[in-house]
Amino acid sequence: MSWQTYVDDHLLCDIDGSGTNLSHAAIIGHDGSVWAQSPAFPQFKPEEITGIMNDFAEPGTLAPTGLYLGGTKYMVIQGEAGAVIRGKKGSGGITIKKTNLAMIIGIYEEPVTPGQCNMIVERLGDYLIEQGL
């Protein structure tokens, strides 16, 4: 299965038959290389990926400044140290799950809930970790 298939079929899937889905999604290598992404995924800067990776290595480093992706600032909310970073911006937000080789990123807007985004992103991340990826 191609990486793009994981984004299209697993991250951008219809949530619970509700006709809603994540706004944007991507699989990005730890080095910032894009493995696959949704068509309008925000154009991010290398230093934004570096900041995210630093927070995975030393949890809490993004909390004072916020999480930036594609120039958008998200307030960092509770995640799982070294494994999941969650951010909030208005009625939307972001979930980032770290796997052995990549980061799974999901961005959502209402009516998608933070819990739905977390479930979709983290489920795929857990699967990829089980596969050694």
Side-chain angles (χ1 to χ4, degrees):
M1 195 172 351
S2 77
W3 292 112
Q4 192 62 50
T5 303
Y6 282 111
V7 169
D8 296 341
D9 295 351
H10 297 280
L11 295 174
L12 296 177
C13 61
D14 184 321
I15 299 171
D16 303 328
S18 64
T20 59
N21 58 327
L22 299 180
S23 306
H24 308 290
I27 302 173
I28 298 174
H30 290 178
D31 61 357
S33 60
V34 176
W35 294 11
Q37 65 183 12
S38 58
F41 191 81
Q43 185 64 44
F44 56 85
K45 299 179 179 131
E47 57 268 23
E48 293 172 333
I49 299 302
T50 301
I52 292 166
M53 288 305 296
N54 288 344
D55 194 80
F56 279 126
E58 295 178 42
T61 56
L62 285 177
T65 59
L67 159 65
Y68 286 86
L69 188 72
T72 299
K73 180 180 179 179
Y74 297 90
M75 180 179 71
V76 177
I77 56 177
Q78 180 196 359
E80 296 170 29
V84 179
I85 300 171
R86 298 184 184 110
K88 189 91 172 110
K89 179 177 183 355
S91 61
I94 187 169
T95 303
I96 306 171
K97 169 79 175 183
K98 181 177 179 249
T99 71
N100 300 333
L101 303 174
M103 293 176 284
I104 313 301
I105 302 175
I107 300 173
Y108 67 93
E109 296 294 335
E110 280 189 331
V112 176
T113 66
Q116 289 171 320
C117 182
N118 296 343
M119 181 187 68
I120 290 168
V121 170
E122 294 174 35
R123 189 167 47 195
L124 178 59
D126 290 341
Y127 170 76
L128 293 177
I129 289 169
E130 287 171 14
Q131 303 304 307
L133 303 168

